[in-house]
Amino acid sequence: MSPHSASPNPHRTYTERRATAQAELTALDRVSARYANLRTVAFLAAVAISGFILADRLSRDWWWGTVGALVLYGVLAVLHHQVFRREERQRLYVLLNDRGLARLGPGWHEFTERGERFASASHLYTPDLDVFGQGSLFQLLNETATRAGEERLAAWLSAPASVAEVEARQGAARELAPRTDFRQDLCVDARTVAKEKADPSLFIQWAESSPSLTSIRWSLPLALILPPITLTLFILGQVGVLRGAWVWLGLGAQLLVAVLTRRTLKAMDDAVERGEQGFVRYAPLFERVEGQRFEHPLLRQLQSGLQQQGEPAVSAHFKRFSQLYSLIEFKRHQFHALVHWVTLWDIHALFALERWRARYGGKVRHWFSALAELEALSCVAGLAHDRPAFTWPVLEAQGPRMEAKQLGHPLLDAPVPNDVALPGPAHALLITGSNMSGKTTLMRAMGANVVLALAGAPVCAEAFRLSPLQVLTSMRVKDSLERGVSYFYAEVQRIKAVLDAARAADGQALFLLDEILLGTNTRERQLASREVLRLLLATGACGAVTTHDLSLTALAEEQGARVLNVHFRDHLEDGKMVFDYKLREGVVDTTNALRVLRLAGVPVDDPEAPSAS
């Protein structure tokens, strides 16, 4: 297997990695128990020695034994905390590999992050193609650890990319697919930073905001000069060169500076604290990316954005930020007010942080953008790893075009594959068939795979060729009592949006319409449906339409038409309807509405059935 080919056995990969993480976690649990016992012994030793001293059973010299026991307790506590952190990481590895195994079967439907916040009822395709929500593409793919990465993945699924962008993402994802260790390490590093999914937007907002301390810039030279002067006055007073009261002059001046700068310093301190949200601990995450050896140009480009020539790596900048932030965190110490008075501590700390922001604040957005891109690419790579039977689409500049061999729905565990061909402008499939035979599922399979393909992901097919397309759907139209919109008018609005978008895309679009204009009578539906299809084809778009209206199939017989009639069928076996979900050419010659009613227990008669004599 080449180093950049996807694993042929993802189940074994996840099983082995989970077993390794669980074994490490079990070993750490034993180490943690030992540290807990040793800490208890050290604490009890300190208590016992102190008790014996107070009871005059031991000499006062044994206080050093108490001190030693307490120091030992402190050292053990630090080491124990490190074990806790290692245990936390191993639990995350167990969780990630459990999720990997769940993704290989139906278990991914239980994942809680479904991307509902990205759903929009007015979007041109996401509501109809299960891009977000329960049982969605987002729920299947999402393995991001930051909100920025989550938003990048959602953006890729919500809008088609260019040929160059798609091919770049494909190449990068192919390289990342077998790197399960890196993808999981990246996720664990990010999730270790914060319990909740980290959102860098507030940190970026702080980093890009205007300087906060301009109005008290005068205080910085005083903060540099006054404390040494005050210290000198104190020393001279102690040795008798000056009167001791002179030191109060320096302390009074420092108190005045502290009072005059208090409000401005607090405003900046509050802004930093709102934006920080754990990003002081992001250095290891960026260091992980910086330490990789990538081959694909996109990955190297993203990495180079974190290691600009002639400057320290981004991880070094975050380490420096962490150091500076720890200085302002001193405000939580009980002696903070005294230390600030004597040294003007907060002025030094916040001006140092302001200098960091002035130098690097404009680059923070780019750093997190590169990280978000890597997270989204890792999600695409994860799909390629978990679905080795999926294929990488071939992109063509000229279109519209979508041709697939053995196309299946990417969200189904065992989809029935079908060949689909829309080889050029104004080509359409007119799909007929009985209820539940697979018409709508086929269209959703077409749309979902195009969405995946134009996000840079592999698709559920044996072969797949397409051009950049704007996907346009009308499948799950809903009326709105709140807005006073009937089903028919809601459907008309949706069709109008599809037509407008097809024209705006200059025909570079794929339309998918399911049983349109059901909210009106049969005659008007036949006329209107035929005209809607003609208008769409006139834009040059290609697509598919499902219908029970067999009169619409006459469009395929018109001169110059590029409409192909295809259908699904069913048959009875032992009194039950059986579907094979295979697409066939031609118009369906059977229906099953009455049979469905009767099988459901509704006593309807078939007017065409021969009557009993």
Side-chain angles (χ1 to χ4, degrees):
M1 182 174 65
S2 68
H4 294 152
S5 61
S7 168
N9 194 337
H11 187 277
R12 183 175 63 191
T13 299
Y14 289 128
T15 301
E16 291 176 352
R17 291 183 66 84
R18 188 195 185 285
T20 300
Q22 186 61 58
E24 180 68 17
L25 182 59
T26 301
L28 287 171
D29 283 341
R30 290 195 293 267
V31 173
S32 180
R34 285 196 289 269
Y35 273 120
N37 293 334
L38 290 173
R39 287 174 64 180
T40 301
V41 170
F43 178 78
L44 292 176
V47 171
I49 293 172
S50 300
F52 283 125
I53 294 173
L54 294 174
D56 293 329
R57 299 285 186 90
L58 292 174
S59 67
R60 298 284 178 176
D61 292 339
W62 276 91
W63 281 117
W64 291 108
T66 300
V67 172
L70 291 176
V71 170
L72 177 61
Y73 178 86
V75 171
L76 290 171
V78 171
L79 295 174
H80 199 184
H81 179 68
Q82 292 176 354
V83 174
F84 285 150
R85 294 184 64 180
R86 290 169 60 192
E87 283 183 305
E88 181 185 4
R89 290 184 64 86
Q90 293 306 317
R91 289 191 188 96
L92 287 172
Y93 282 117
V94 171
L95 173 63
L96 284 177
N97 287 288
D98 279 339
R99 286 173 61 89
L101 290 169
R103 205 178 288 110
L104 301 181
W108 62 271
H109 289 269
E110 304 300 321
F111 294 170
T112 57
E113 292 179 344
R114 300 183 288 266
E116 286 98 337
R117 69 189 182 100
F118 303 111
S120 169
S122 61
H123 193 275
L124 293 171
Y125 63 79
T126 58
D128 291 335
L129 300 181
D130 299 308
V131 176
F132 303 112
Q134 179 59 38
S136 64
L137 291 174
F138 184 88
Q139 189 180 19
L140 173 64
L141 269 72
N142 182 35
E143 201 63 88
T144 59
T146 70
R147 288 176 72 87
E150 189 177 72
E151 289 164 1
R152 185 64 55 90
L153 176 62
W156 286 6
L157 294 173
S158 300
S162 67
V163 172
E165 289 175 318
V166 170
E167 290 177 344
R169 292 175 193 172
Q170 286 183 355
R174 281 178 170 177
E175 181 173 338
L176 291 175
R179 296 193 182 190
T180 309
D181 52 351
F182 168 70
R183 290 187 284 107
Q184 290 192 350
D185 289 345
L186 190 70
C187 195
V188 167
D189 287 342
R191 294 191 181 191
T192 303
V193 170
K195 292 182 180 179
E196 299 295 329
K197 185 163 284 192
D199 181 6
S201 60
L202 290 176
F203 184 69
I204 294 171
Q205 181 181 337
W206 169 80
E208 294 179 344
S209 60
S210 57
S212 305
L213 305 179
T214 304
S215 63
I216 59 167
R217 191 169 296 279
W218 54 267
S219 66
L220 184 57
L222 293 178
L224 293 171
I225 295 171
L226 285 177
I229 291 176
T230 301
L231 179 62
T232 302
L233 292 174
F234 174 76
I235 293 173
L236 292 177
Q238 291 297 308
V239 298
V241 175
L242 292 176
R243 294 176 59 185
W246 279 94
V247 70
W248 292 104
L249 182 63
L251 290 174
Q254 291 178 204
L255 179 60
L256 179 62
V257 171
V259 170
L260 293 175
T261 59
R262 181 179 62 85
R263 182 173 298 177
T264 303
L265 292 175
K266 187 177 186 307
M268 179 176 174
D269 182 48
D270 291 344
V272 175
E273 189 161 324
R274 281 195 304 271
E276 188 276 323
Q277 295 186 331
F279 290 107
V280 293
R281 300 188 294 276
Y282 256 56
L285 182 62
F286 286 104
E287 198 168 15
R288 176 85 61 186
V289 178
E290 293 159 0
Q292 294 296 307
R293 294 187 62 182
F294 293 127
E295 295 180 13
H296 191 272
L298 176 57
L299 295 175
R300 297 178 70 173
Q301 176 188 341
L302 293 172
Q303 187 182 48
S304 66
L306 306 180
Q307 295 174 302
Q308 296 182 359
Q309 192 171 6
E311 287 191 7
V314 170
S315 58
H317 299 325
F318 270 89
K319 287 177 182 177
R320 178 58 178 162
F321 176 82
S322 178
Q323 293 167 355
L324 296 175
Y325 189 77
S326 66
L327 297 179
I328 68 171
E329 280 194 309
F330 180 68
K331 66 180 179 291
R332 297 187 177 88
H333 197 281
Q334 58 184 333
F335 296 117
H336 166 258
L338 177 62
V339 172
H340 177 49
W341 177 28
V342 173
T343 65
L344 297 176
W345 178 279
D346 289 355
I347 294 177
H348 293 291
L350 286 168
F351 268 100
L353 204 57
E354 185 85 311
R355 288 191 293 271
W356 185 94
R357 177 168 65 174
R359 184 169 183 181
Y360 303 114
K363 302 176 182 179
V364 169
R365 182 180 297 274
H366 174 70
W367 297 342
F368 281 102
S369 177
L371 184 60
E373 189 94 353
L374 273 172
E375 283 196 273
L377 286 170
S378 292
C379 292
V380 172
L383 180 67
H385 174 273
D386 297 344
R387 302 288 190 273
F390 280 23
T391 191
W392 293 99
V394 176
L395 270 291
E396 297 185 357
Q398 299 300 317
R401 179 181 183 182
M402 194 217 83
E403 295 180 281
K405 184 178 180 181
Q406 297 297 284
L407 178 79
H409 199 302
L411 297 177
L412 297 180
D413 292 331
V416 176
N418 285 288
D419 294 346
V420 176
L422 295 169
H427 282 74
L429 298 177
L430 197 56
I431 311 172
T432 55
S434 55
N435 297 293
M436 304 182 297
S437 60
K439 303 187 301 297
T440 305
T441 299
L442 174 68
M443 287 208 305
R444 288 205 174 102
M446 294 167 63
N449 279 295
V450 169
V451 169
L452 284 175
L454 295 180
V459 297
C460 183
E462 188 177 303
F464 199 82
R465 303 180 73 88
L466 80 162
S467 63
L469 295 166
Q470 174 63 63
V471 181
L472 309 169
T473 65
S474 178
M475 297 184 185
R476 289 173 174 159
V477 177
K478 296 180 180 179
D479 57 8
S480 174
L481 295 176
E482 184 177 321
R483 292 192 300 130
V485 176
S486 69
Y487 178 88
F488 176 70
Y489 191 65
E491 194 174 14
V492 168
Q493 288 180 316
R494 183 68 178 189
I495 290 172
K496 175 67 162 56
V498 168
L499 277 168
D500 289 344
R503 293 190 186 103
D506 291 326
Q508 303 303 307
L510 172 72
F511 61 85
L512 301 168
L513 311 180
D514 188 27
E515 291 293 336
I516 60 173
L517 302 175
L518 286 177
T520 187
N521 63 71
T522 302
R523 181 177 179 278
E524 288 190 328
R525 182 173 68 247
Q526 291 173 351
L527 296 173
S529 298
R530 186 179 302 231
E531 191 58 28
V532 166
L533 185 53
R534 283 201 179 103
L535 288 171
L536 280 170
L537 295 176
T539 69
C542 62
V545 178
T546 68
T547 184
H548 285 288
D549 187 353
L550 300 186
S551 68
L552 196 60
T553 61
L555 279 171
E557 301 171 4
E558 294 182 1
Q559 187 174 4
R562 299 172 184 174
V563 177
L564 178 65
N565 285 321
V566 292
H567 71 278
F568 291 94
R569 65 174 57 167
D570 65 277
H571 63 278
L572 284 174
E573 286 185 12
D574 299 326
K576 295 182 179 180
M577 287 184 300
V578 176
F579 305 95
D580 61 11
Y581 306 111
K582 299 302 293 184
L583 190 65
R584 297 171 174 84
E585 287 194 18
V587 182
V588 70
D589 55 6
T590 60
T591 58
N592 70 358
L594 296 178
R595 279 181 298 186
V596 171
L597 286 167
R598 284 195 291 271
L599 288 173
V602 180
V604 294
D605 293 326
D606 186 347
E608 297 183 3
S611 60
S613 57

